[in-house]
C-alpha cells in the first residue's frame, strides 16, 4: 500500500534496512517451512531437479529418443528455468489470500509478499545450479565469455516473473479460480516453451508461438550456456521491454487494489 | 500541544453482498454477474470526529458491532474511508492480531524474530531485545521448542511480549488485554501504562471499562457507528455502563417469560 504507516514515516535509510530485514526473515521462513520435518531438508532442492532430470533423460533418451545434440544440458536448462518460473508464480498467486494475518496488520507492506515467493524460489534455483555446471562439464560444453550475461538474464526473468505474479495475485483475491486455471495454463505453456524439444522448426510453422515470453527466456539461457553466444539483441530488447512494462503494470494494479483486498481476504 | 491523531468527519460504508456472492468464474457465470454487486449498504461509521493530543490515551467503548474495530483499522490505514479524513503523525505500532506470522512448526525463538520484524523492528533490534522479550513472556524454558507445543496462553504471551518491545509513537490496541492469567494481564496493563508515560499516544478499544476509567484521558462511546458520548472517562463510562445494565436487565426479564 502506498499509505503505509510503518514504512511511510521511516527515513529512506531505515526503510531500506527494514525492507531488507523483512524480506530476509520471510524468505527464510518460507524455506525453513518447506523442508520442515523432512530428513534431507535443503537437500531436496538438489535432489528434486536431479530426479526430474533422470526421469526426462530416460523418457527422451531411451523411450522417445531426441535428435538434439547435448540433449542432457538442453533439457536441464529448460527444466530449471521453467521450474523457477512455475513454482514462483504458483506460490505468489496464493500469497495474498494465504497471508491474511499479515495483510491485516497496520503498516505491513503487502507488495513484499509476491517478492518473497519469487525470491525463495530463486534460491532453490540457485541451489540447483551447481548440478547444471556438473552436467555442462560432463557433456564437455565449452564455457565462454557470454556467461557474463547470465546474471542479466536472471534479473530479467526475475522482473518478468514478478510482473506476472502481481497481476495474478491481485486477480486471485476476487477470483479463487485463478489458482486452478493457472495449473492448466502453466501445463500448456510448459509444452509450448520448448523445454523438451527444439522449438525453432515449430515456430517457423506456427509463428504465434513467438508470443510466449518463457520460450524466449529458455532459448536465451541455452544460447548463453550451450552455444556460448550472446542472445540476439532485438528479441532480447523486446523481452526486456515486456518484462519491465508488465512489472510496472502489475505493481500498480496490485497497489491500487490494496485497500480492496484488505477488506476482502 | 499538537495532535498525534486527527479524525475528521469520518465515514465508512460497508456493503452487504448476496449470501451467495460468486467467488469463482463458474459461479459468476452460472448465477450471473449481477450478484457480484452489493445488494445493500450501511454505514459502519458516520460523522466521527475527534483528535488525540500527543502522549494522551483515548479509549473507545461500545457494544459489539458499534464500529470500534473498524475505527481502529481505519486509523491504522487498513482500508479507505468513504468520507472525511484521518491524519496521524509518528511511527505507528499496533497490538492487533498479536502473533501475526507465527507459525506452529517454527520454534519460539524463530517466531520472535519473524514477528518482531513484521511488527516494524529491524532484525538487529529484535536481537538486542531478545532476552528481554523472552523474559517478559516468561518462556525461557520453552523458547527453542516449536510453537505447536505451546498452550494458547503461552502463544498469546509470546505475541504480547514482542509487541511490548516495539517503541511506537502511536499505539493502536484492540481488545488484547485479555491475555493470559490474572498476573500476566496485570503485567500487560502495566506495560501499556508505561508506554503512555513514555509519551506514546494510544488509541484503545476494550471492554475493560475499569481500566479505561483509571488510565484514559478521555473516552468515546460509539453506538451504531456514531459518537453517542465523548469526554471525561468517568462520566462516559458511567452512562455507558448504566445503559448496558439496563440492556442486560431486559434480557433477564425476557428469559423469565
Amino acid at each position: 500500500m502506498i499509505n503505509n504507516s510503518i514504512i511511510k514515516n521511516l527515513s529512506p535509510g531505515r526503510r531500506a534496512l527494514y525492507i531488507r530485514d523483512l524480506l530476509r526473515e520471510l524468505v527464510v521462513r518460507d524455506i525453513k517451512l518447506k523442508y520442515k520435518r523432512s530428513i534431507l531438508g535443503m537437500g531436496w532442492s538438489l535432489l528434486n531437479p536431479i530426479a526430474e532430470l533422470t526421469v526426462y533423460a530416460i523418457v527422451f533418451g531411451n523411450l522417445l529418443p531426441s535428435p538434439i545434440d547435448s540433449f542432457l544440458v538442453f533439457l536441464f536448462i529448460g527444466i530449471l528455468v521453467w521450474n523457477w518460473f512455475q513454482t514462483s508464480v504458483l506460490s505468489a498467486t496464493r500469497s495474498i489470500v494465504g497471508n491474511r494475518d499479515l495483510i491485516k496488520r497496520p503498516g505491513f507492506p503487502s507488495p513484499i509478499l509476491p517478492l518473497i515467493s519469487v525470491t525463495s524460489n530463486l534460491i532453490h534455483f540457485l541451489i540447483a545450479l551447481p548440478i547444471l555446471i556438473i552436467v555442462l562439464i560432463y557433456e564437455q560444453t565449452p564455457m565462454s565469455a557470454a556467461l557474463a550475461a547470465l546474471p542479466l538474464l536472471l534479473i530479467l526473468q526475475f522482473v518478468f516473473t514478478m510482473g506476472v505474479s502481481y497481476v495474478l495475485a491481485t486477480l486471485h483475491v476476487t477470483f479463487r479460480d485463478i489458482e486452478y486455471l493457472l495449473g492448466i495454463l502453466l501445463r500448456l505453456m510448459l509444452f509450448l516453451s520448448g523445454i523438451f524439444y527444439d522449438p525453432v522448426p515449430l515456430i517457423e510453422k506456427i509463428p504465434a508461438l513467438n508470443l510466449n515470453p518463457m520460450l524466449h527466456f529458455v532459448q536465451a539461457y541455452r544460447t548463453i550456456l550451450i552455444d556460448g553466444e550472446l542472445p540476439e539483441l532485438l528479441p532480447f530488447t523486446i523481452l526486456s521491454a515486456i518484462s519491465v512494462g508488465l512489472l510496472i503494470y502489475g505493481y500498480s494494479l496490485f497497489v491500487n487494489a490494496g485497500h480492496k483486498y484488505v477488506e476482502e481476504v | 500541544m499538537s495532535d498525534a491523531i486527527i479524525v475528521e468527519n469520518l465515514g465508512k460504508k460497508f456493503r452487504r453482498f448476496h449470501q451467495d456472492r460468486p467467488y469463482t468464474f463458474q459461479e459468476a457465470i452460472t448465477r450471473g454477474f449481477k450478484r457480484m454487486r452489493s445488494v445493500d449498504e450501511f454505514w459502519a461509521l458516520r460523522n466521527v470526529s475527534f483528535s488525540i493530543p500527543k502522549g494522551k490515551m483515548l479509549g473507545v467503548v461500545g457494544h459489539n458491532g458499534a464500529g470500534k474495530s473498524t475505527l481502529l483499522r481505519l486509523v491504522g490505514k487498513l482500508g479507505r474511508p468513504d468520507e472525511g479524513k484521518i491524519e496521524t503523525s509518528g511511527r505507528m505500532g499496533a497490538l492487533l492480531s498479536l502473533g501475526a506470522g507465527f507459525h506452529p512448526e517454527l520454534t519460539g525463538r524463530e517466531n520472535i524474530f519473524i514477528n518482531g520484524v513484521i511488527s516494524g523492528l529491524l532484525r538487529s533490534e529484535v536481537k538486542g531485545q531478545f532476552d528481554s522479550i523472552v523474559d517478559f513472556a516468561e518462556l525461557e524454558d520453552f523458547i527453542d521448542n516449536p510453537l505447536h507445543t505451546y498452550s494458547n496462553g503461552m502463544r498469546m504471551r509470546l505475541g504480547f511480549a514482542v509487541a511490548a518491545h516495539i517503541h511506537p509513537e502511536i499505539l493502536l490496541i484492540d481488545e488484547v488485554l485479555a491475555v493470559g492469567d490474572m498476573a500476566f494481564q496485570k503485567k500487560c496493563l502495566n506495560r501499556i501504562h508505561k508506554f503512555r508515560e513514555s509519551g506514546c499516544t494510544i488509541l484503545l478499544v476494550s471492554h475493560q471499562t475499569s481500566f479505561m476509567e483509571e488510565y484514559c484521558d478521555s473516552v468515546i462511546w460509539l453506538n451504531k457507528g456514531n459518537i453517542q458520548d465523548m469526554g471525561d472517562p468517568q462520566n462516559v463510562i458511567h452512562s455507558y455502563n448504566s445503559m448496558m445494565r439496563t440492556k442486560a436487565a431486559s434480557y433477564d426479564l425476557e428469559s423469565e417469560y
Side-chain angles (χ1 to χ4, degrees):
Chain A
M1 274 171 285
I2 307 170
N3 271 339
N4 225 298
S5 39
I6 286 188
I7 305 292
K8 199 182 66 178
N9 293 327
L10 299 181
S11 65
R14 188 183 162 97
R15 191 147 130 185
L17 285 178
Y18 180 68
I19 295 289
R20 186 203 63 184
D21 282 6
L22 190 61
L23 185 65
R24 175 182 158 179
E25 282 305 317
L26 293 176
V27 166
V28 169
R29 177 179 83 150
D30 235 29
I31 292 175
K32 269 187 189 158
L33 284 177
K34 182 160 181 177
Y35 296 125
K36 208 75 194 180
R37 297 201 191 189
S38 73
I39 295 166
L40 294 173
M42 291 281 278
W44 280 113
S45 289
L46 276 174
L47 278 178
N48 255 334
I50 293 178
E52 210 175 331
L53 181 68
T54 313
V55 170
Y56 287 126
I58 293 171
V59 172
F60 294 103
N62 302 324
L63 305 179
L64 301 163
S66 166
I68 299 167
D69 294 338
S70 49
F71 183 66
L72 211 52
V73 181
F74 179 91
L75 182 65
F76 201 41
I77 293 171
I79 292 172
L80 283 184
V81 171
W82 175 263
N83 277 357
W84 176 27
F85 175 73
Q86 168 164 307
T87 50
S88 298
V89 166
L90 278 173
S91 87
T93 299
R94 285 190 291 254
S95 64
I96 300 304
V97 175
N99 285 294
R100 285 194 173 85
D101 56 340
L102 298 188
I103 295 289
K104 299 206 167 194
R105 273 185 84 88
F108 185 81
S110 38
I112 206 171
L113 290 172
L115 180 62
I116 288 159
S117 304
V118 181
T119 309
S120 28
N121 286 303
L122 168 66
I123 290 172
H124 296 304
F125 175 72
L126 293 178
I127 291 173
L129 269 190
I131 315 170
L132 177 63
I133 292 168
I134 293 170
V135 179
L136 280 171
I137 294 168
Y138 173 78
E139 296 252 339
Q140 295 179 329
T141 322
M143 306 274 175
S144 84
L147 275 177
L150 202 60
L152 190 66
L153 190 56
L154 272 172
I155 293 171
L156 200 60
Q157 191 187 344
F158 194 97
V159 169
F160 173 74
T161 312
M162 283 303 298
V164 174
S165 297
Y166 276 129
V167 174
L168 291 173
T170 311
L171 291 176
H172 184 241
V173 174
T174 322
F175 285 110
R176 305 290 152 89
D177 304 70
I178 295 288
E179 205 174 322
Y180 311 107
L181 206 58
L182 189 62
I184 302 161
L185 281 178
L186 281 171
R187 184 70 59 87
L188 181 65
M189 207 169 156
L190 164 70
F191 286 107
L192 293 181
S193 299
I195 310 290
F196 314 110
Y197 57 89
D198 180 10
V200 179
L202 199 64
I203 289 172
E204 279 166 14
K205 253 190 270 173
I206 315 170
L209 289 181
N210 262 317
L211 296 173
N212 174 7
M214 278 316 286
L215 181 133
H216 296 283
F217 276 114
V218 172
Q219 288 297 82
Y221 279 98
R222 286 174 181 152
T223 310
I224 291 176
L225 289 166
I226 301 177
D227 308 336
E229 287 166 17
L230 289 175
E232 275 180 78
L233 196 61
L234 183 67
F236 199 72
T237 314
I238 296 174
L239 201 57
S240 310
I242 290 175
S243 302
V244 173
L246 188 66
L247 179 59
I248 294 171
Y249 170 75
Y251 183 77
S252 62
L253 190 75
F254 185 90
V255 170
N256 285 330
H259 69 283
K260 217 178 116 194
Y261 55 65
V262 165
E263 286 162 16
E264 277 196 22
V265 294
Chain B
M1 209 192 286
S2 58
D3 291 328
I5 301 178
I6 303 171
V7 172
E8 252 173 57
N9 201 22
L10 182 68
K12 177 73 190 170
K13 220 173 359 183
F14 277 140
R15 280 158 285 270
R16 254 190 282 260
F17 290 99
H18 269 282
Q19 270 186 342
D20 50 352
R21 182 184 187 225
Y23 259 104
T24 61
F25 289 140
Q26 185 215 347
E27 286 171 24
I29 291 162
T30 52
R31 296 196 195 133
F33 277 96
K34 268 195 312 224
R35 304 229 164 164
M36 290 287 293
R37 277 183 243 138
S38 50
V39 280
D40 151 34
E41 296 174 341
F42 68 98
W43 290 91
L45 286 174
R46 195 86 198 261
N47 301 326
V48 174
S49 301
F50 63 87
S51 60
I52 315 178
K54 273 205 173 92
K56 298 289 179 190
M57 180 154 158
L58 177 83
V60 183
V61 292
H63 58 84
N64 293 332
K68 304 183 300 284
S69 298
T70 307
L71 174 65
L72 211 65
R73 291 163 51 105
L74 286 175
V75 172
K77 303 265 161 46
L78 293 171
R80 222 178 251 185
D82 292 297
E83 279 182 2
K85 59 177 178 181
I86 300 169
E87 278 170 34
T88 58
S89 65
R91 192 153 89 105
M92 198 179 294
L95 301 189
L96 315 167
S97 54
L98 292 178
F102 272 2
H103 199 285
E105 294 279 341
L106 299 176
T107 65
R109 181 185 300 275
E110 291 166 324
N111 274 304
I112 286 179
F113 275 98
I114 293 166
N115 188 252
V117 172
I118 286 169
S119 305
L121 295 175
L122 297 180
R123 194 187 148 80
S124 56
E125 291 166 342
V126 182
K127 211 170 184 175
Q129 302 191 84
F130 186 80
D131 292 338
S132 165
I133 293 172
V134 177
D135 186 53
F136 190 93
E138 300 166 22
L139 287 170
E140 287 86 350
D141 298 338
F142 306 94
I143 204 62
D144 286 310
N145 294 350
L147 215 66
H148 66 80
T149 62
Y150 286 31
S151 71
N152 255 333
M154 287 160 82
R155 230 171 282 181
M156 285 166 87
R157 260 152 52 196
L158 194 66
F160 190 91
V162 175
H165 287 78
I166 49 178
H167 298 286
E169 292 160 290
I170 295 176
L171 187 61
L172 308 176
I173 308 177
D174 190 0
E175 204 57 85
V176 288
L177 303 178
V179 174
D181 53 26
M182 284 281 275
F184 194 76
Q185 272 187 37
K186 185 78 191 138
K187 205 168 167 180
C188 295
L189 295 180
N190 282 342
R191 194 60 174 214
I192 290 168
H193 189 54
K194 244 192 218 158
F195 272 128
R196 217 202 97 177
E197 281 182 336
S198 64
C200 179
T201 310
I202 300 177
L203 179 59
L204 166 83
V205 165
S206 175
H207 290 287
Q208 300 208 350
T209 46
S210 56
F211 173 77
M212 294 173 122
E213 225 172 316
E214 197 173 339
Y215 292 108
C216 286
D217 296 290
S218 66
V219 167
I220 285 179
W221 172 7
L222 275 183
N223 188 17
K224 291 179 185 158
N226 296 299
I227 293 184
Q228 174 103 4
D229 198 1
M230 174 162 68
D232 177 65
Q234 252 109 30
N235 295 340
V236 176
I237 284 176
H238 180 76
S239 50
Y240 171 70
N241 277 343
S242 56
M243 197 279 283
M244 284 308 258
R245 265 194 295 273
T246 327
K247 217 173 158 190
S250 74
Y251 288 139
D252 286 345
L253 283 176
E254 271 169 35
S255 62
E256 275 174 27
Y257 287 103

